[in-house]
Amino acid sequence: MTALTLFMIMLAYLGGSISSAVLISRLYRLPDPRKYGSGNPGATNVLRTGNRSAAVWVLLLDILKGTLPVYLGWFLHISPLYLALIGMAACLGHMFPLFFHFRGGKAVATALGTLLPLGMDMTGLLLLTWLVSLGLFGYSSLASLITALLAPLYVYFIKPEYTLAVALLSCLIILRHHRNISRLYHHQETPILDKFKRNREE
């Protein structure tokens, strides 16, 4: 591993450690997402406040946290395996942010951002899978898990040299959802659409 690669990994982690959900919530004077709803500082939990604009900003910034370091690494001709480490570092920064007491989110949007440099075909398949899964089952967590499971298969047919890298990212996302998996298994997970409608009615 070169010094440049190590620097990019550290930079990706530090960038990922900037919690968009917390900062945007403060800007919009919304409840701290770490103490509201699911307690997950991400776009989905910010959406539960009913403020769509804030949720969109969180989503975009979280995606950029993954896209920028990976794209820069690709531009610098860093190998696919090390690009995976850069992407994982960005996701780990989101999950365990240095600047926010290591209380982070699930990094689904950030993981999506790390895959954007692979092309719009890959991005479109991932978004379509997430939306269809959400529409069929109503659970944001389940939609994310299904998308993470299918991502390595998609990339195998589109850009096979990145299959291992994407598989590593998918494993990281699935591991981070272990509590959601338990709640889904015990039928304790609440559909995101129900929570959003309830907040709109209150």
Side-chain angles (χ1 to χ4, degrees), residues 106 178-189:
K106 301 294 195 312
H178 65 279
R179 292 181 181 175
N180 300 90
I181 294 171
S182 177
R183 287 197 295 267
L184 286 165
Y185 180 78
H186 293 97
H187 305 286
Q188 296 173 345
E189 189 86 332

Side-chain angles (χ1 to χ4, degrees), residues 132-144:
V132 170
S133 301
L134 181 65
L136 288 175
F137 305 108
Y139 298 98
S140 175
S141 57
L142 182 57
S144 299

Side-chain angles (χ1 to χ4, degrees), residues 63-135:
I63 289 174
L64 281 175
K65 288 195 301 186
T67 301
L68 292 178
V70 172
Y71 184 78
L72 181 57
W74 174 82
F75 182 78
L76 295 171
H77 305 291
I78 293 175
S79 68
L81 181 59
Y82 289 140
L83 284 179
L85 295 180
I86 293 171
M88 291 179 70
C91 292
L92 286 170
H94 182 90
M95 294 175 180
F96 308 102
L98 177 66
F99 309 125
F100 293 88
H101 308 291
F102 301 100
R103 294 180 59 190
K106 301 294 195 312
V108 174
T110 303
L112 173 64
T114 66
L115 301 179
L116 283 178
L118 295 182
M120 294 308 297
D121 46 0
M122 181 68 183
T123 304
L125 280 172
L126 294 173
L127 288 175
L128 182 61
T129 301
W130 190 88
L131 290 171
V132 170
S133 301
L134 181 65

Side-chain angles (χ1 to χ4, degrees), residues 16-31:
S17 291
I18 301 173
S19 180
S20 308
V22 175
L23 295 177
I24 292 296
S25 293
R26 289 176 183 174
L27 182 64
Y28 278 78
R29 297 184 179 179
L30 299 173

Side-chain angles (χ1 to χ4, degrees), residues 162-176:
Y162 290 95
T163 302
L164 177 59
V166 174
L168 291 172
L169 278 172
S170 294
C171 288
L172 184 63
I173 297 299
I174 292 169
L175 287 172
R176 185 60 172 168

